[in-house]
Amino acid sequence: MSLLEVRGLSKRFGGVQAVADLSFTVDEGDVVALIGPNGAGKTTAFACVAGFLAPDAGEVRFRGRALRGLAPHAVNALGIARTFQIMRPFPRLSVVRNVMIATLGRHPDPREAEARARAVLDEVGLAARAAVPAGALTLAERKRLELARALGTEPALLLLDEVMSGLTETETERIVGLVGAINRRGIAILLIEHVMRAVMSLARRIVVLDHGERIAEGTPAEVAGDPRVIEAYLGEEHAGAAAP
Amino acid sequence: MTWLALGGLAVLAVLPAVLGPYALSVFINILFYAYLGQAWNIVGGYAGQLSVGHAAFVGIGGYTAAVLAAETGLTPWVGMLAGGALAAVLGGVIGYLGFRFGLRGFYFVLLTVAFAEVCRIVASNWERVGGAVGLYITFTGDPRQMQFQDDRAWYYIALALTALATAIVWGMERRRFGIYLTAIREDETACEALGVPTFRHKLGAMVLSSFLTGLAGTFYAYRYSSLQPGAVFGIPLSVEIVIRPIVGGAGTLLGPIVGSFILTPLAELSRAWFGQGGWHGAHLIVYGVLLVAVVLFLPQGAVPVLGRLVRRAAP
């Protein structure tokens, strides 16, 4: 049985079919990348999986359990944690408090939650910034905080929405290393990413979306050679927004 | 910090010995509004859900205790709890409607104002509870009926209520419930993503806050031996409740207390001052000016600024 099973997922916003009949699976301990041009429906698919949007059709199962109708916090409690593309730190709370909000779910005692939060901050390399208000962090640090908070909920599946966009090359490499290490701890990862080098080195399987539909799926090598994928991306290159 | 709190409490405990009758009444008001502000602070300050209808809970609490005493002879000491419970039920209804349907910001403000106004209109037209004239409580001076020959009793009740509410908030800050509230105030969507059941926590904050506010209604009714719908359910009282924690620092432990120590004497002075010249209500202008100044120069309220000054003075 797959850890996550998405079947026939559809979501429409007015006249725009954001996601159309999308199916894919993520296995225990897997790393799957969801790629595609801007507006392909990746973030919408994420929101449907994490309970932030109700799909018009189709279903999402996690460990065999249908997620329909569950509030986001309930989906999180089952073991799915998401990050936001546009990061949402609690700006006036300290960095360690930010992560505590995540760890308190499984560790109701604040002292224990704080110890857990500090351990997670250690893991993502933010321990030195624990006491700083989150609003004062740099972009790269905020990306790490977003990751730390998701990890703090102790998920079995981590949904990463562009945690590398806007970072320098060294910063990206460090995040790639970090995500790889998280995965080796047994946490399955579903990532949306435009940074192709990161996708190619992390993902075991890639699902390619265009206009809400799955146009290809396979290993990184298979997908990179697929003519439909090249076409979808060439269109984007014309628009001058190609991924490096 | 603990010593400072105990020291402050000790000073307040012996203060009535040196206060004249007028100063005593001002201090009773300071503590009474500090208590109301602290009760509001739970949902308005910590959880960031701006209720401007908290007068509804004062009114419900006061009317419940007074009507129960008149009709069944129940002592207001118990009626106070019944009033708090009924206020909590109303708070639960308002919270459920507001939070279930995702009313935020101005919309939640309007919902709370609307409920308080409906309560005022119902009480004004319900003859069984005195209608527009309101209820008058016969003064007997019997402490079992929450009536006292000596005003210092009110001072100590107000002090006990303020200490109780502050202790509750202090404990809340150190528990998951309170920590969650501070995050809900900042970003509810992010909270949900991190596994925080936001609806349940906002509702809990509203119920606790309205219960404590309801207790104050009985205090009000028996201290003044009367209840008028316009006074206890009206928007002016709701504003009085909200403004002190905002000026002192919403979502801080001492904000409502500091705010009340700043604003209550100011209100009394300007009321006495302008009242002599027939300028009734002019203290509201003072409030308005002060609120504008706070929003412009101290958007976090007075407490964070005082905290910085104290730390600078004693490194």
Side-chain angles (χ1 to χ4, degrees), chain B residues 130-145:
Chain B
V133 181
L135 289 177
Y136 290 88
I137 296 157
T138 318
F139 184 77
T140 60
D142 180 0
R144 278 170 303 179
Q145 292 305 314

Side-chain angles (χ1 to χ4, degrees), chain A residues 52 71-73 76 81-82 84 88-93 97-98 100-102 104-105 108 110 149-150 153, chain B residues 173-176 179-180 182-198 200 250 300:
Chain A
F52 282 87
H73 69 84
N76 178 275
R82 73 167 293 186
F84 289 93
R88 314 187 69 125
F90 306 114
R92 280 160 55 192
L93 304 189
R97 266 289 153 114
N98 263 266
M100 270 177 78
I101 301 303
L104 276 167
R149 289 197 314 185
T153 67
Chain B
E173 273 188 340
R174 276 150 192 78
R175 280 175 178 74
R176 179 163 80 168
I179 298 173
Y180 273 171
T182 60
I184 287 170
R185 176 180 63 202
E186 302 255 309
D187 189 335
E188 287 182 30
T189 307
C191 278
E192 278 286 328
L194 298 175
V196 180
T198 54
R200 199 194 308 158
Q300 313 285 326

Side-chain angles (χ1 to χ4, degrees), chain A residues 94-106:
Chain A
S94 69
V95 167
V96 67
R97 266 289 153 114
N98 263 266
V99 184
M100 270 177 78
I101 301 303
T103 56
L104 276 167
R106 302 209 195 274

Side-chain angles (χ1 to χ4, degrees), chain A residues 60-118:
Chain A
V60 179
R61 284 178 172 275
F62 183 70
R63 291 181 163 143
R65 187 192 160 154
L67 300 185
R68 173 166 290 275
L70 290 186
H73 69 84
V75 173
N76 178 275
L78 290 177
I80 301 180
R82 73 167 293 186
T83 65
F84 289 93
Q85 184 181 351
I86 297 156
M87 296 148 292
R88 314 187 69 125
F90 306 114
R92 280 160 55 192
L93 304 189
S94 69
V95 167
V96 67
R97 266 289 153 114
N98 263 266
V99 184
M100 270 177 78
I101 301 303
T103 56
L104 276 167
R106 302 209 195 274
H107 307 279
D109 176 8
R111 262 167 304 183
E112 216 180 303
E114 187 178 338
R116 285 291 315 146
R118 289 191 186 279

